Amino acid sequence: MSTLFEDISRIVARPISRRAAFGQVSRAVGGAALGYFGFTRAAWALAAPAAQVGCPSGKAACGATCCGSDQTCCISKDGAKAACCSSGQTCCGGKCCKGPKCCDDKCCKAGGPLTRRALIGGAAAAAVAATVGATAAGSSSACKSGQTKCGTTCCSSGQLCCNSTVCCGSNQTCCSSSGLTKCCSPGTVCCPGPTTGKVQCCVPGTGTSGSCVGATKCT
């Protein structure tokens, strides 16, 4: 009787479905009953796995095989497949996989199967990273000897960097307003444009209210 209880305990402790466990427990109880009445051959056919396999001391029955104390019993949901998994292996539908991934009772790579969305997302991320890297490389590229960095360009010696955008000549004036930048030629002044947000270079006027009052030839 103690052997029957041990067999039932092992069956319940295994990672199998309740239907498979119920079937094995039923066979164990049926086998014990037939053995009691003298039906030895029939009792052996219905016996629990531990009795059928006859595992030696220190090993436990796992389906039709025996697992050591350092192994894990891996049985499929229907109880049809069984294997003994070692350390570093993963139980996957009655077989042992190398590594931690089991996909739908099949061994798969560590990254798992890539979906179409994952592939597209990875490609997009790579494209963004490449663009950012190229921009950073361009903005950090050094100018030649004697040149000065001005935004994304380099100004030669004697030129003026205007609003970190354009390089103006030594005799020109930087004209910048509302994000717009121009280089005004000698003899002209920077004046507000004819419309809001515009700038222009004009020949200064002679009015006392400022050089842009009465200015002409604005460009």
Side-chain angles (χ1 to χ4, degrees), residues 143-147:
C143 296
K144 295 180 180 180
S145 177
Q147 294 182 331

Side-chain angles (χ1 to χ4, degrees), residues 100-129:
K101 295 296 292 184
C102 175
C103 308
D104 296 329
D105 289 340
K106 293 182 180 179
C107 299
C108 55
K109 294 182 179 179
L114 290 177
T115 61
R116 182 172 179 269
R117 178 178 295 180
L119 290 171
I120 294 175
V128 171

Side-chain angles (χ1 to χ4, degrees), residues 43-216:
W44 181 260
L46 290 174
Q52 292 178 344
V53 176
C55 295
S57 177
K59 291 191 175 184
C62 179
T65 186
C66 299
C67 295
S69 58
D70 59 340
Q71 294 179 311
T72 302
C73 179
C74 176
I75 301 180
S76 59
K77 294 179 181 179
D78 58 3
K81 297 180 181 179
C84 298
C85 298
S86 304
S87 176
Q89 294 181 320
T90 302
C91 176
C92 186
K95 57 190 174 189
C96 303
C97 298
K98 294 181 180 179
K101 295 296 292 184
C102 175
C103 308
D104 296 329
D105 289 340
K106 293 182 180 179
C107 299
C108 55
K109 294 182 179 179
L114 290 177
T115 61
R116 182 172 179 269
R117 178 178 295 180
L119 290 171
I120 294 175
V128 171
T131 301
V132 172
T135 302
S139 61
S140 61
S141 59
C143 296
K144 295 180 180 180
S145 177
Q147 294 182 331
T148 304
K149 192 70 177 177
C150 183
T152 57
T153 187
C154 296
C155 296
S156 301
S157 177
Q159 289 184 317
L160 172 67
C161 179
C162 181
N163 197 31
S164 299
T165 305
V166 297
C167 298
C168 297
S170 59
N171 58 348
Q172 292 180 315
T173 303
C174 177
C175 182
S176 177
S177 177
S178 301
L180 298 177
T181 303
K182 297 183 70 174
C183 294
C184 292
S185 301
T188 61
V189 293
C190 180
C191 296
T195 58
T196 303
K198 298 291 185 179
V199 292
Q200 53 188 355
C201 299
C202 306
V203 175
T206 56
T208 57
S209 299
S211 57
C212 288
V213 176
T216 59

